[in-house]
Amino acid sequence: MRFATWNVNSVGARLPRLEQWLDLAEPDVLCLQETKCAGGAFPSQGAIERGYQVAAHGEGRWNGVAILSRVGLEQVSRGFPGEPLAPAAADGDPTLVEVPGRSVPEARAVGATCGPLRVWSVYAPNGRSLDSPQFPYKLRWLAALRGAVESEVRSDTPFVIAGDFNVAPADEDVWDPSAFVGSTHVTDAERQELAELRALGLEDVRARALKHGTPYTYWDYRAGMFHKNQGMRIDLVYASRPAASRVTDAYVDREARKGKGPSDHAPVVVDLDL
């Protein structure tokens, strides 16, 4: 089985590239993040024509996750129990997109059983800045996610949770740790949440780099950071022992970050003997 995860940064803007990549990489299961479309508006026709079933969870302009599978799609879960609400936008603060009075969680997680594999596609909150209400929300969200998947992790069914966690697990996962001092994505608190998630019985499936020896998955669009390889490893694949023990290869498809109109993330591809 070939499994992959990719923050596409708008499935509408990236649709031709996504469909081309499906033809090239031929994943059996693909987790998508930051789809930026309502669940019912997910452009699924091309995927369906390629033999995929689609489970999408979206809200329009922001966030959004999906799972594409050609090995079955059952027991779909949109969101998870205990998922916290995002903080309301502060007056005059354009960096917070949530609306006052929000009564449902953001579209950040979707789970499904794909053949022999239980899968979650997740898009963790960014956190914005250390003094933003988005930062404690990010920590609450990661803690709630851990509680929601604990029983699935500890079952005998091979389990994978993958996506854009917006956290670099260690200093080696960013191009220059000194550039991130005082920033989100690298704090002890965020890394502790990931460590506690792994402590449920998950292994970090570290993908190999196809260039530079650094398996970064995200490079900002600004200042030529991709060409300078000034990236971060924040798109992660965490697998339970029954799944991790069957991994035969894993790589970051850096080629998908090249060309005209790419996402700022690259897909992570994992092959499993399942």
Side-chain angles (χ1 to χ4, degrees), residues 1 8 17 20 29 33 35 38 49 89 109 139 143 149 152 154 158 169 173 218 220 233 252 254 264:
M1 174 185 286
V8 290
R17 293 183 64 110
Q20 180 185 45
V29 179
Q33 301 86 41
T35 56
E49 291 173 355
L139 300 180
V149 302
E152 294 185 3
R154 293 179 172 168
D173 296 314
Y218 165 81
D220 197 295
R233 187 176 78 98
V252 179
R254 191 177 185 276
D264 44 3

Side-chain angles (χ1 to χ4, degrees), residues 163-241:
D164 181 357
F165 283 83
N166 271 313
V167 182
D171 280 354
E172 66 183 4
D173 296 314
V174 298
W175 65 274
D176 180 4
S178 67
F180 294 87
V181 173
S183 301
T184 60
H185 292 57
V186 298
T187 64
D188 290 343
E190 292 164 295
R191 288 173 172 174
Q192 182 61 31
E193 289 296 341
L194 287 192
E196 292 182 11
L197 178 61
R198 293 192 301 271
L200 296 179
L202 295 171
E203 297 185 21
D204 185 353
V205 179
R206 291 186 61 89
R208 59 187 173 88
L210 298 183
K211 188 176 181 180
H212 298 302
T214 50
Y216 300 146
T217 63
Y218 165 81
W219 300 261
D220 197 295
Y221 288 125
R222 297 171 295 179
M225 294 184 75
F226 177 68
H227 299 290
K228 298 174 186 176
N229 197 39
Q230 295 177 347
M232 308 173 72
R233 187 176 78 98
I234 57 176
D235 302 270
L236 310 172
V237 177
Y238 285 171
S240 67
R241 184 59 186 165

Side-chain angles (χ1 to χ4, degrees), residues 102-121:
R102 186 183 193 106
S103 60
V104 296
E106 296 176 309
R108 293 188 173 277
V110 62
T113 299
C114 304
L117 192 65
R118 181 63 180 172
V119 173
W120 279 89
S121 175

Side-chain angles (χ1 to χ4, degrees), residues 52 90 100 102 160 200 258 261:
Y52 292 94
R102 186 183 193 106
V160 170
L200 296 179
K258 297 179 179 179

Side-chain angles (χ1 to χ4, degrees), residues 144-169:
L145 176 68
R146 180 178 72 251
V149 302
E150 179 175 1
S151 62
E152 294 185 3
V153 174
R154 293 179 172 168
S155 75
D156 293 332
T157 300
F159 173 95
V160 170
I161 184 167
D164 181 357
F165 283 83
N166 271 313
V167 182

Side-chain angles (χ1 to χ4, degrees), residues 14-122:
R14 239 60 69 183
L15 188 59
R17 293 183 64 110
L18 170 61
E19 292 179 348
Q20 180 185 45
W21 189 82
L22 288 173
D23 293 336
L24 290 171
E26 298 188 306
D28 296 299
V29 179
L30 173 61
C31 293
L32 296 175
Q33 301 86 41
E34 210 172 352
T35 56
K36 296 182 179 178
C37 68
F42 187 93
S44 59
Q45 187 58 41
I48 292 170
E49 291 173 355
R50 290 165 171 79
Y52 292 94
Q53 295 173 272
V54 179
H57 182 35
E59 57 189 76
R61 292 178 60 198
W62 312 104
N63 308 316
V65 286
I67 298 173
L68 280 58
S69 173
R70 60 182 186 182
V71 292
L73 192 71
E74 301 177 345
Q75 298 173 301
V76 174
S77 302
R78 292 177 173 84
F80 53 83
E83 190 170 358
L85 299 179
D91 291 341
D93 185 350
T95 68
L96 299 182
V97 300
E98 296 75 18
V99 294
R102 186 183 193 106
S103 60
V104 296
E106 296 176 309
R108 293 188 173 277
V110 62
T113 299
C114 304
L117 192 65
R118 181 63 180 172
V119 173
W120 279 89
S121 175
V122 299

